[in-house]
Amino acid sequence: MSLLLSPTHSLTLNPHVHFSPSPLSMSILRRLTLNLRNHRRRRFATVSAAVRQDITVWTPAPLSEVEPAAESLFHVAIDVSDAPDLAASHTRAGQYLQLRVPDAPKPSFLAIASPPKLASASGVFEFLVKSVAGSTAEALCALKRGDVVELSQVMGNGFDINRIEPPEKFGTVIVFATGSGISPIRSLIESGFDACKRSDVRLYYGARNLQRMAYQDRFKDWESSGVKIVPVLSQPDGSWTGESGYVQAAFTRAKQISSPLATGAVLCGQKQMTEEVTSILVADGVSADKILKNF
């Protein structure tokens, strides 16, 4: 039997009667509340991401040079002389930016290879770009001098060299780079970090072979600044007499760290390399705080 109430009737409740929700009702209520909170968090995160994306400032700039630097690697120079604020925002080696190419689906993140002083003095950003099939980088490497691309603001804190200063206290600095990871390392070396005032500065630079090793024409200048270059080839030809394999293995064979507490390191390249080198250095007594990365 059902109880029907007409609009003209009201149901009067005894104010002294206490109603307790069932455990099932409470469980449903908690789930509804949790789902609502999660929905609000997701919505907020989506809105926040959209806002962050929208605030990117893009600056058009023409290419001044696109030339092969090694097999599958290109030297790209971009004229930012008409964007002095952008040029001045490059203050430390290891910083990077986003680059957009017309008709490319998404921007590419690129480390700046030139030292900050080049941007401030000549209004130029230089990059070492690996051309990967189907990527924005490939589209960039196919452009010509005078073609216009778009650059974001300069990002990142770069390599915090202050953590391995003064040079008299940190006489040993071991630098590791693989492939296009040599790009921000070039910026560091040519920016200067008092290598000539340190007793032992080595660069372990890994590539598949000499044809894939960029900046060989700069090695002489780098060594004259106090950096010993140790090329390491993972797939050398039969005439190669230098170090072979991976840079972490080459370093392990050499070691020669006389004072771990007076040692710093700089790493850029493949994730496996950076992780293994970090483990080796820390195990040898080098402070993790003195192992610099640009990300």
Side-chain angles (χ1 to χ4, degrees):
M1 180 179 71
S2 61
L3 176 65
L4 298 178
L5 296 178
S6 70
T8 58
H9 290 79
S10 62
L11 180 63
T12 303
L13 300 179
N14 187 333
H16 299 291
V17 176
H18 178 69
F19 289 89
S20 298
S22 69
L24 178 60
S25 300
M26 290 300 294
S27 176
I28 294 172
L29 181 60
R30 281 195 296 270
R31 285 201 299 271
L32 288 173
T33 303
L34 183 60
N35 288 339
L36 180 60
R37 288 175 180 171
N38 289 338
H39 174 74
R40 286 174 176 169
R41 288 195 189 103
R42 286 195 297 271
R43 187 163 178 251
F44 179 76
T46 301
V47 171
S48 298
V51 169
R52 288 196 299 271
Q53 185 176 8
D54 290 342
I55 64 174
T56 301
V57 176
W58 295 98
T59 301
L63 300 179
S64 56
E65 190 176 351
V66 182
E67 298 290 343
E71 186 179 308
S72 77
L73 294 171
F74 286 80
H75 170 75
V76 176
I78 301 178
D79 183 355
V80 291
S81 57
D82 288 338
D85 290 344
L86 178 61
S89 67
H90 183 209
T91 58
R92 183 182 283 177
Q95 290 180 303
Y96 56 91
L97 50 69
Q98 293 183 80
L99 181 146
R100 289 199 306 198
V101 174
D103 301 324
K106 59 183 180 180
S108 179
F109 284 87
L110 297 174
I112 303 173
S114 49
K117 60 188 177 186
L118 185 65
S120 58
S122 304
V124 175
F125 284 160
E126 294 182 349
F127 304 88
L128 182 67
V129 182
K130 183 177 182 180
S131 180
V132 178
S135 69
T136 299
E138 182 187 42
L140 171 62
C141 296
L143 297 178
K144 308 294 184 188
R145 179 176 180 174
D147 288 341
V148 176
V149 296
E150 291 183 315
L151 305 178
S152 75
Q153 308 98 315
V154 174
M155 306 177 186
N157 296 321
F159 298 117
D160 187 4
I161 295 299
N162 291 330
R163 284 156 51 187
I164 53 173
E165 295 284 1
E168 296 79 12
K169 184 176 179 180
F170 296 94
T172 299
V173 176
I174 314 297
V175 185
F176 300 85
T178 54
S180 58
I182 193 64
S183 177
I185 297 301
R186 174 204 153 189
S187 181
L188 174 66
I189 294 172
E190 296 181 7
S191 297
F193 60 104
D194 294 321
C196 61
K197 295 182 181 179
R198 303 178 193 266
S199 57
D200 179 16
V201 179
R202 281 173 272 160
L203 166 61
Y204 287 87
Y205 177 11
R208 180 177 298 178
N209 50 48
L210 286 177
Q211 290 70 40
R212 294 203 173 202
M213 183 166 279
Y215 298 144
Q216 293 180 56
D217 58 332
R218 296 177 178 270
F219 285 0
K220 185 176 180 181
D221 289 339
W222 291 359
E223 292 203 314
S224 68
S225 73
V227 180
K228 179 184 177 182
I229 313 296
V230 184
V232 185
L233 306 183
S234 61
Q235 297 180 19
D237 60 29
S239 64
W240 177 249
T241 59
E243 290 286 348
S244 60
Y246 295 117
V247 295
Q248 53 268 46
F251 171 66
T252 300
R253 287 191 292 269
K255 283 290 181 70
Q256 299 171 350
I257 294 181
S258 57
S259 179
L261 295 180
T263 298
V266 184
L267 281 63
C268 191
Q270 297 169 335
K271 182 180 179 181
Q272 180 180 351
M273 180 275 287
T274 60
E275 290 177 347
E276 291 184 7
V277 167
T278 298
S279 296
I280 293 168
L281 291 170
V282 171
D284 284 347
V286 177
S287 170
D289 183 58
K290 308 304 178 185
I291 302 174
L292 311 184
K293 303 173 186 177
N294 68 326
F295 56 88

